[in-house]
Amino acid sequence: MTHGWAGHILRVDLSRGKATKEPLRLDWAEEYIGGRGLAARYLYEEMDPSADALGPDNKLILATGPLTGTNASCGARYMVVTKGPLTGAITTSNSGGHWGPELKFAGYDMVIVEGRADRPCYLLVDDDRVEIRDAAGVWGKVVSETEDAIRDETGMPELRVAGIGPAGENLVRFACIVNDKHRAAGRSGVGAVMGSKNLKAIAVRGNQGVRVARPRDYMSAIWSYHEHLAESPGRQGLTELGTAPTVDLVNTFGGLPTRNFTAGQFEGTEAINGESIKDNWLIANKACFACNIACGRVTQVSPNADKYMVNMHPRNWKVAGEGPEYENLWSLGADCGVDDMDAIVMANYLCNDLGMDPISMGATLATAMEMYERGLLNDEQTGMALRFGDGKALVAMTEATGFREGFGDELAEGSKRMTDKFEHPEYFMGVKGQEFPAYDPRGFQGMGVAYATCNRGACHLRAWTPGIETSGEYDPHGTDGKSVWVAEEQNRTTAHDATGICMFTTAGAPLDDLIPVLSAATGVDYTMDDFVHIGERIWNIERLWNLKAGLTAADDTLPKRLMEEAHKEGPSAGVTVDLDAMLPDYYAARGWTADGQPTREKLMELGLA
C-alpha cells in the first residue's frame, strides 16, 4: 500500500491505440518526490532528447505530486513535462484547478502519452476504465466548448477536463494545456505537443481518495501550515487583489518591461493595476482545489468593450471569464504599450479559450510592434498597423495567432523564430527561445542570472528575486550574492514543485511547514536538507537532459539590449545586467565546470553518476 502517492501510472500509446496501468517506481518517487521531479526522471530514462518536439517520439507526461488531492493548503497542482517546441529544452509547466486531484482520485500519479494518433481523439479515464475516444466532434472547438461537449457526450457532468484549443491543434509554439476552462499549464508550448499527437483532451473522473501514512502527525502539521498561511499579510494580499498589485511594485523600481523592454516604467499602470481591476472589472475571486488563498479573478468586460467583440472576433467573443493576472496584465498591457483594460481583458479571454500562453503572446506581439514602428515590418506583411498602444491590434492579432491566420501565422512561431525569419534577432527578448516574463533585469539584477540559467527558458517561477531585491536585503542593481541565492532558490522551488503544492503558499507559510506535511503523508522522513538536495538532483537531471538535447553554456545568456543598453530614466536608469560577473559564480555554486557542465563529483553526490 502506498501513501501520498497513488502508486500507479497510466501509459497511453496513441500510435497503437492502447492504454496500460503500470506500477509507479516507488524508489524514484522517494528520490524525486513526484510531479516535476518524478516526470523528469521518467523522461530522462525513456526518451531521446534529440527527438523532434512535435514528432511522435516526444513524450508528454502529466504528473501529480504526493500532496496533490490532499487537504494540504493549495494541494491542486500537476505538472506537464515534455520537450518544448518553443525552446527545444525540457519544459516543466505547472497548473492548478481540479484536474490534478481528480487524476489522483482515479488512482494515478501520472499519465505518460506516447506516439501519435492517426485521427483526433480524447482520453477518458474513469478509475480503471480507460478509453481512447474519437474527438471529431470537438476538434476545432475552443477550450470552454470542448469541456462542455465532452461532459455532454459522456453524460458525466463531474468530469474534469484538460485539453487544448485551436492554438494547440494549429501547433502554435506557445499553446497551453487548459483545465477547468481557465487554469493552464501555460509555458513553452505543451499544448502544441498535445496537438501534434492529435490528442484533444484528457477527461478524468476518480472515486478514490488519497491515503496518508501517519494521519495524526499529518493533521497536526496541516493545522500549523494552515494557521501560518491564514495569518500572513502576503496571503491576505493575494486574496484581496490577486497578483495584480505587482504592477505597481515592479513599476516603482523601474523593472516593469515596457514596449518590448525599451523602458522600465509604464505611464499607464494606474489603468491596469489591482485596484483598477477590483473597482471596474472584478466579479469575484476564485480558488483551486483545497485552496485557502483564492487568488483567481473572475471578471467581466465593461459596456465599452463592444468595440472589441463581434466585429473583432466573431467566433470567440465572451463577456466574462477569468483573469487577467499580473503576467497577463504586463504582456498584453505594458509590454505592448496598451492601457485599455477592455482590450487586455478581451485578449486574455481569447488566450484562455484558444489555449495560448498570454506571456509569449503579448511579448511576441510587442516584438512585432517594435519592428513595425522601426520600419522593419510593413502593412503588406502584417495586414494592419501594429503600433504600441493599439488595443484593436492586440485583440485582432491574438485571435489571428490562435488560428494561424495572416500575420498570426508568424506570431504563432514565437518571437525568436519570427525575428530570425525577418533577420533582426536583436529584438527577441528572451532566453533559450522563450520570451521573458514581467521583470526587467535592469531593475532587478538577480533576474538576469535567474533567466539565463533556467532549464525551461526565461522563467520567473524558479527564482523570483524582486522579493529580496525590494526588501532591503540586496541592492536591486548590484550583483553581490545574487548567483548563490538564485542557485539555492532554484533548488527550493524545484523540490516544492514536486510536492503538488502551489508556490503561492510561500507567500505566508515558511518552507519548514511543508516538510512535516510531506513526511507524514508519504511516510518518508524527509528533512529540510533532504528536500533541498532533491531539488538540486531534479535541477541537475533537467540540465543533463538539456545538454543531451544540444543546449550548451552558450544558451545561458541574455539579449544584448539588457547587457548593453541602459534605461534613460527612472530608478533603473544607467543600469545594465552584468551577467559576466554573475554566471561564473552561479556555475561555481552549482558545482559545475566553467562551461556549465555538471562535474562527475557533483553527479555522484546527487546519485546521478
Side-chain angles (χ1 to χ4, degrees), residues 360-406:
S360 285
M361 178 64 244
T364 301
L365 179 57
T367 304
M369 286 177 163
E370 181 179 3
M371 292 174 67
Y372 181 91
E373 292 203 345
R374 290 180 181 273
L376 305 174
L377 293 172
N378 57 47
D379 288 350
E380 183 178 354
Q381 292 166 313
T382 62
M384 66 183 301
L386 297 183
R387 299 192 183 281
F388 284 122
D390 189 336
K392 289 187 176 181
L394 171 67
V395 175
M397 284 296 154
T398 301
E399 182 188 13
T401 300
F403 289 101
R404 281 189 175 266
E405 295 175 344

Side-chain angles (χ1 to χ4, degrees), residues 7-252:
H8 293 93
I9 66 174
L10 179 62
R11 189 179 297 273
V12 182
D13 185 338
L14 293 175
S15 296
R16 299 170 60 197
K18 183 179 180 180
T20 55
K21 184 176 183 179
E22 300 177 4
L24 181 71
R25 283 285 303 264
L26 288 174
D27 55 336
W28 289 358
E30 291 189 17
E31 292 173 356
Y32 292 86
I33 300 177
R36 173 179 164 192
L38 192 56
R41 178 60 189 264
Y42 272 89
L43 198 73
Y44 184 80
E45 296 292 340
E46 295 188 0
M47 181 188 158
D48 178 0
S50 68
D52 181 0
L54 295 177
D57 292 334
N58 193 7
K59 296 198 179 191
L60 182 71
I61 305 177
L62 296 86
T64 66
L67 296 179
T68 305
T70 69
N71 66 340
S73 294
C74 309
R77 312 302 289 192
Y78 74 95
M79 188 73 71
V80 182
V81 177
T82 187
K83 182 173 185 174
L86 189 65
T87 63
I90 190 170
T91 187
T92 50
S93 200
N94 196 306
S95 184
H98 296 262
W99 188 90
E102 201 71 25
L103 184 67
K104 285 285 287 292
F105 300 156
Y108 304 99
D109 293 291
M110 64 173 65
V111 180
I112 301 177
V113 182
E114 304 170 337
R116 181 182 188 273
D118 57 7
R119 59 178 61 87
C121 65
Y122 73 90
L123 187 67
L124 176 65
V125 181
D126 182 11
D127 289 332
D128 285 337
R129 180 170 68 99
V130 180
E131 299 176 8
I132 300 173
R133 292 192 163 200
D134 180 66
V138 291
W139 198 258
K141 291 185 180 295
V142 298
V143 166
S144 56
E145 293 172 342
T146 297
E147 188 166 324
D148 291 340
I150 289 177
R151 287 195 177 112
D152 289 344
E153 178 185 304
T154 59
M156 300 165 67
E158 65 274 38
L159 276 175
R160 298 294 180 178
V161 180
I164 58 173
E169 298 173 12
N170 292 317
L171 307 186
V172 173
R173 287 187 183 269
F174 46 85
C176 302
I177 294 174
V178 184
N179 57 279
D180 303 294
K181 296 184 179 180
H182 303 283
R183 299 292 95 198
R187 304 228 66 192
S188 309
V190 296
V193 176
M194 199 167 180
S196 73
K197 296 183 177 301
N198 272 331
L199 181 62
K200 180 66 171 176
I202 303 176
V204 182
R205 181 178 69 173
N207 295 291
Q208 306 171 46
V210 180
R211 299 183 181 91
V212 298
R214 299 192 292 265
R216 287 183 180 273
D217 292 344
Y218 173 81
M219 288 309 300
S220 176
I222 282 291
W223 283 117
S224 175
Y225 195 26
H226 284 187
E227 183 179 0
H228 286 156
L229 194 57
E231 295 173 351
S232 162
R235 192 280 306 162
Q236 293 167 9
L238 283 168
T239 301
E240 181 181 1
L241 293 174
T243 59
T246 312
V247 169
D248 294 319
L249 171 70
V250 175
N251 197 62
T252 298

